[in-house]
Amino acid sequence: MVSRRPPHPHFAVVGPRVQCVRKTAGWTQEGLASAIGVSTRTISNLECGTFAVSLERLFDIAAALKVRLGALVDAESPLPVASPPPETAEILQYYLRLSDADRALAV
């Protein structure tokens, strides 16, 4: 049995950042895996921080998600915030126009 060296501790930062950016962009693990030519398990392991990914693969991920590489690897870089779909703002406007009694029924 070959023992694998555990990934560098920085991957504990990279994985969750990849997951956050992926989800913010509306991608599934399956979709990202397909886009960059790896298995879904590879994406899962990367996001859990249990898989050391190459710089080339990180560039592929960044390109697919349309973010700078720094968004994935720089722990000091702010994570992107998802913009809600336009219909969300419209629904919120309708909700805010309701009376307190009607809001209680809506929730």
Side-chain angles (χ1 to χ4, degrees), residues 20-31:
C20 180
V21 172
R22 174 184 60 77
K23 286 182 174 183
T24 299
W27 286 68
T28 63
Q29 286 184 340
E30 294 82 8

Side-chain angles (χ1 to χ4, degrees), residues 4 7 11-20 22-23 27-34 36-53 57 61:
R4 294 183 73 185
F11 286 99
V13 171
V14 172
R17 291 184 70 84
V18 168
Q19 181 182 52
C20 180
R22 174 184 60 77
K23 286 182 174 183
W27 286 68
T28 63
Q29 286 184 340
E30 294 82 8
L32 179 57
S34 177
I36 65 169
V38 299
S39 70
T40 302
R41 184 179 184 122
T42 297
I43 298 298
S44 177
N45 287 338
L46 166 64
E47 290 181 355
C48 291
T50 59
F51 178 75
V53 65
R57 189 63 69 203
I61 292 169

